[in-house]
Amino acid sequence: DSLLSCLIVFGGAGIGGSLRYGVNTLVLRVLGPDYPVGTLIINVTGCLVMGGAAGSAYEVTCRSLGASFLMTGVLGGYTTFSAFSLDLMTLWERGEPWPALVYGLASVLGSVIAVGAGLFLIRSMRHDPQPAPARQRLPTQSAREAHRDDCQATGKQQSSN
C-alpha cells in the first residue's frame, strides 16, 4: 500500500511538473520574461484546484489514492503554494487566526529570506556578490529563447540551428 501510494504520488508529480513547465513556457512566449505572470497563474490556479479537491476529498476520504494523486502528486508538482494555502486556510477555518497569520508571514518571509541566503551563499562561493542582471534568463525559459533574447540585446545575428 505504501509503495503503491508513493508510485501514484510520483506519477502525479511528473504530470504536475510538466503542466507547470507548459504554462510557464506558454506565458513566456506570449508575455515575455519581464514579470512572473506564469508563476502567478500557476499559484492561483493550483490553489483553486486545491480548494476544490480539498472540499471534495474531505467529504469522501482524505486518505484515498485519488486525493493523494491529485493533491500531493499533481498539485505538489504543479505548485507547492497550493499546499501552503490549504494549510493556512485549515488553520483559519479551525478558528485559529493568529497561528494562521504567523504561519503565513513566516512562510512567505522565511522563503524569501531563504532564497536570499541561498543566493548569497552561492555567490560568495563564486566570489561574485553582485545580483543578477535585470533581464537574466528565467529558469523556465528555453535555451533557444534565451539565445534569441541575448542576440537581440547585443545586436548579433542568430544562428539558424
Side-chain angles (χ1 to χ4, degrees):
D1 183 50
S2 175
L3 178 60
L4 177 61
S5 295
C6 286
L7 290 173
I8 286 173
V9 169
F10 177 78
I15 292 169
S18 296
L19 287 169
R20 179 186 188 96
Y21 177 79
V23 170
N24 267 327
T25 301
L26 177 65
V27 171
L28 276 170
R29 284 188 185 141
V30 173
L31 299 177
D34 292 335
Y35 190 80
V37 176
T39 301
L40 178 63
I41 290 169
I42 287 164
N43 287 337
V44 172
T45 57
C47 289
L48 176 66
V49 174
M50 179 64 87
S56 299
Y58 288 121
E59 291 174 11
V60 181
T61 172
C62 193
R63 298 275 182 213
S64 74
L65 290 178
S68 295
F69 171 77
L70 178 62
M71 296 170 71
T72 304
V74 175
L75 292 175
Y78 186 65
T79 173
T80 57
F81 197 77
S82 58
F84 155 75
S85 298
L86 178 61
D87 290 343
L88 190 136
M89 283 306 300
T90 299
L91 288 170
W92 182 267
E93 287 183 342
R94 276 195 261 169
E96 301 177 31
W98 291 112
L101 178 66
V102 169
Y103 173 72
L105 289 174
S107 294
V108 172
L109 293 175
S111 296
V112 171
I113 290 168
V115 166
L119 288 169
F120 175 79
L121 288 171
I122 295 300
R123 288 177 182 151
S124 64
M125 287 192 292
R126 286 190 327 211
H127 306 292
D128 180 19
Q130 298 300 314
R135 300 236 346 137
Q136 180 183 7
R137 175 181 172 226
L138 298 174
T140 55
Q141 187 178 14
S142 73
R144 182 178 294 261
E145 290 168 326
H147 176 71
R148 181 197 64 225
D149 292 348
D150 290 344
C151 289
Q152 288 173 349
T154 61
K156 292 181 184 174
Q157 190 72 6
Q158 269 190 107
S159 65
S160 59
N161 55 351

